[in-house]
Amino acid sequence: MTVSSQVKQTLASLKNTQSTLRFYSTQSQNKEAKLAYDEALKVTKDIIKDLENRLKTLEFEEPQYKGY
Amino acid sequence: MKDWIEILLRSLSLFFLALALTRIMGKKQLTKITPFYFIVYSVVAILSALISANIIKSLVFGFIALAVWALLPLVLDYMSLKSKTLHDWIHGRETILIKQGKIMEENLKQVRLTGEELLRDLRSKNVFNLADVEFAVLESTGEINVLLKSDKKPVTARDLERKIGPQSEPQTVILDGNILDEPLSTMGLNRSWLNKQLESMGLSLDNIFIGQIDSSGDLYVDLFDDCIQLPQPKVKEMLYANLEKTQADLLGYALQTEDTKAKAMYSNNADKLEKTIQKLKPYLLH
């Protein structure tokens, strides 16, 4: 498995995590819990952005693996 | 009028009157009332029985006695709400039996409680060792309540210095196969959400005995058919595992990559995620 496909896998699982977090942040009745979920949501958003940027560089460096 | 008709009518009217009276007289538990209230309840019960069995011939006299015994306690209750001295006078005050680990023998004598009785009552509160007791008090209902020494108290999350996610009361939304709308709307959810949840669990509504939603919105159901094995909601544990896996992945990439900028980005993000995981842990794992 190439590095870029590994990173893609992590990215996918992180996006899955993000959607679950969003689900709980809307569903939680407790304000404190909601806040914690929201904060986690923001962190995952940042990381997803970083990973996507990194993927772009990787694909630029190894264009033969693009799309895998 | 025939005798049996009279007794039938008296009994019927007394039956509903007694029902109404006990509703008015409040929600006090019979095991937790003061001796005075025990007498009040007994007199009301006996009076109603006597009237209904036609032993007290005159209905008017019977009802007057019943009214006094049923309504006067109510009046006293309302007055004792207003005045503390009256409250103490009616209900009595609690007596301190053990203070700072020492038995107050004077007070014990005052409430006519022997050492054996004190020990028995402590044992019924699961306290076998007198040395564990910091404070004990005899309530006016005759019940003994105990405060243990702080090192003998059950451990709480605070003692362990662990943060626990707050959990409020769950709402029962399905009972006997019927959806209860009021608790559902208290949670801010509706029938179509519930139907979707049931559909995803592969269940039909009429097979569910009890369904509860906890404060984070997870549905737990108990089925009539106990042979069916149900997956319990494990979404939060999965979420936690996913977060940890992502964090481990990021750390791995940070080690693998040669690019210093990417290395910094990966380890920075791994750190951030680690902190978030620690913050979320009390909410996800409990």
Side-chain angles (χ1 to χ4, degrees), chain B residues 2-283:
Chain B
K2 275 182 188 163
D3 281 352
W4 69 269
I5 299 182
E6 190 179 354
I7 288 194
L8 181 71
L9 286 178
R10 274 170 177 256
S11 298
L12 276 177
S13 55
L14 254 302
F15 179 85
F16 290 107
L17 188 66
L19 193 67
L21 278 181
T22 45
R23 296 290 291 173
I24 298 171
M25 285 169 86
K27 291 182 173 174
K28 289 195 183 83
Q29 227 178 28
L30 272 186
T31 49
K32 287 189 180 159
I33 55 173
T34 56
F36 170 64
Y37 274 85
F38 177 71
I39 293 177
V40 169
Y41 282 122
S42 314
V43 169
V44 168
I46 293 168
L47 274 179
S48 348
L50 291 182
I51 299 171
S52 115
N54 208 1
I55 293 171
I56 298 176
K57 296 280 182 211
S58 161
L59 265 183
V60 181
F61 289 176
F63 279 131
I64 289 174
L66 198 59
V68 168
W69 279 96
L71 298 181
L72 205 55
L74 275 183
V75 175
L76 283 180
D77 268 353
Y78 274 112
M79 279 161 68
S80 64
L81 277 181
K82 302 280 179 213
S83 151
K84 172 88 176 100
T85 37
L86 191 67
H87 182 272
D88 289 346
W89 190 68
I90 295 170
H91 297 273
R93 295 191 62 168
E94 64 277 7
T95 312
I96 294 167
L97 299 180
I98 299 177
K99 201 175 180 180
Q100 290 172 348
K102 295 187 179 65
I103 299 180
M104 317 282 280
E105 285 83 4
E106 284 293 306
N107 290 352
L108 220 59
K109 210 176 283 170
Q110 198 191 332
V111 294
R112 290 189 300 283
L113 206 67
T114 62
E116 284 97 340
E117 281 171 326
L118 175 66
L119 286 176
R120 187 193 61 206
D121 284 342
L122 287 179
R123 278 197 295 272
S124 75
K125 289 278 169 186
N126 246 341
V127 181
F128 284 79
N129 203 344
L130 193 62
D132 298 349
V133 182
E134 167 72 24
F135 182 82
V137 62
L138 180 73
E139 307 290 349
S140 50
T141 57
E143 194 187 11
I144 287 188
N145 283 320
V146 181
L147 177 74
L148 294 176
K149 284 189 176 144
S150 46
D151 56 339
K152 295 287 182 182
K153 270 191 218 165
V155 160
T156 60
R158 195 194 176 88
D159 296 332
L160 295 173
E161 292 176 15
R162 273 181 63 174
K163 199 177 175 321
I164 301 284
Q167 259 189 317
S168 40
E169 76 286 0
Q171 297 281 355
T172 306
V173 292
I174 302 174
L175 207 58
D176 252 333
N178 296 313
I179 296 181
L180 308 175
D181 284 305
E182 200 190 309
L184 202 56
S185 56
T186 315
M187 295 291 290
L189 302 165
N190 55 25
R191 273 173 182 251
S192 67
W193 176 88
L194 192 59
N195 286 329
K196 208 183 275 172
Q197 290 285 311
L198 292 179
E199 205 176 301
S200 71
M201 291 165 97
L203 295 170
S204 72
L205 190 61
D206 48 4
N207 196 10
I208 296 171
F209 180 45
I210 287 177
Q212 274 191 328
I213 299 180
D214 69 9
S215 53
S216 61
D218 282 334
L219 180 67
Y220 175 87
V221 292
D222 184 86
L223 302 183
F224 282 116
D225 191 351
D226 288 327
C227 296
I228 300 178
Q229 289 293 324
L230 260 188
Q232 293 309 326
K234 283 265 183 277
V235 186
K236 282 181 188 156
E237 284 81 352
M238 285 288 288
L239 180 60
Y240 185 77
N242 260 336
L243 280 168
E244 288 227 299
K245 186 180 175 298
T246 311
Q247 199 250 348
D249 280 352
L250 287 174
L251 276 179
Y253 299 146
L255 286 176
Q256 277 172 25
T257 183
E258 309 260 300
D259 186 344
T260 45
K261 230 168 94 186
K263 214 185 218 8
M265 183 273 284
Y266 281 136
S267 54
N268 185 17
N269 277 338
D271 273 358
K272 263 201 281 186
L273 206 53
E274 171 69 35
K275 271 183 204 133
T276 314
I277 290 172
Q278 287 311 320
K279 250 183 225 163
L280 277 182
K281 199 173 173 183
Y283 301 99

Side-chain angles (χ1 to χ4, degrees), chain A residues 5-19:
Chain A
S5 69
Q6 275 177 340
V7 174
K8 261 179 204 160
Q9 217 171 44
T10 309
L11 188 63
S13 108
L14 197 59
K15 276 181 178 165
N16 174 22
T17 310
Q18 193 192 25
S19 72

